[in-house]
Amino acid sequence: QLQASGGGLVHPGGSLRLSCVASDFNLNYYAIAWLRQAPGNQREGISCINGNSNSTTYADSVKGRFTISRDNAKRTVYLQMDSLRPDDTAVYYCATPLERLCTYGMSYWGKGTQVTVSS
């Protein structure tokens, strides 16, 4: 099972770091993506990191503000979110295709974590 954590309430311009861990497999080998869904909106893929690699992709909406990374020793994938804006408010999920590359569709999802950006 994947579990995202680290969400919360932050002021515009602030930062948060989300974490994604897996309880029953080693996520080091797999691509891990971060997605988000705001009320009334479709789910949006925002970033992905390939397995056994530091190759990353970002949606235009977060490029330059968010950074995805992995710590293999901790078997954790992070999403560092800086310069947060109110339109970043959403439930954030991590997911994996259980393949090494981000080009595959996501097949395994975790519970999300709420991020609220408000003054």
Side-chain angles (χ1 to χ4, degrees):
Q1 181 178 358
L2 285 172
Q3 179 64 58
S5 63
L9 173 64
V10 63
H11 291 169
S15 297
L16 282 174
R17 188 177 75 162
L18 306 184
S19 300
C20 178
V21 296
S23 60
D24 52 1
F25 64 93
N26 184 350
L27 58 69
N28 293 352
Y29 303 124
Y30 301 112
I32 300 293
W34 285 97
L35 305 94
R36 66 186 181 186
Q37 188 165 22
N41 288 2
Q42 289 187 334
R43 189 171 291 168
E44 175 191 17
I46 56 174
S47 188
C48 192
I49 185 167
N50 284 340
N52 286 335
S53 169
N54 288 322
S55 177
T56 58
T57 58
Y58 296 93
D60 287 344
S61 58
V62 305
K63 197 173 294 183
R65 300 188 298 123
F66 291 9
T67 305
I68 191 171
S69 62
R70 59 168 78 236
D71 184 331
N72 287 340
K74 295 183 178 179
R75 297 186 180 183
T76 302
V77 172
Y78 300 103
L79 185 69
Q80 177 67 40
M81 305 188 296
D82 299 318
S83 302
L84 282 162
R85 309 186 304 221
D87 62 358
D88 293 317
T89 296
V91 177
Y92 284 70
Y93 301 87
C94 57
T96 179
L98 291 177
E99 300 282 353
R100 193 176 69 84
L101 299 178
C102 292
T103 51
Y104 290 90
M106 299 300 136
S107 59
Y108 197 61
W109 294 78
K111 294 182 180 179
T113 184
Q114 176 71 47
V115 171
T116 302
V117 184
S118 175
S119 55

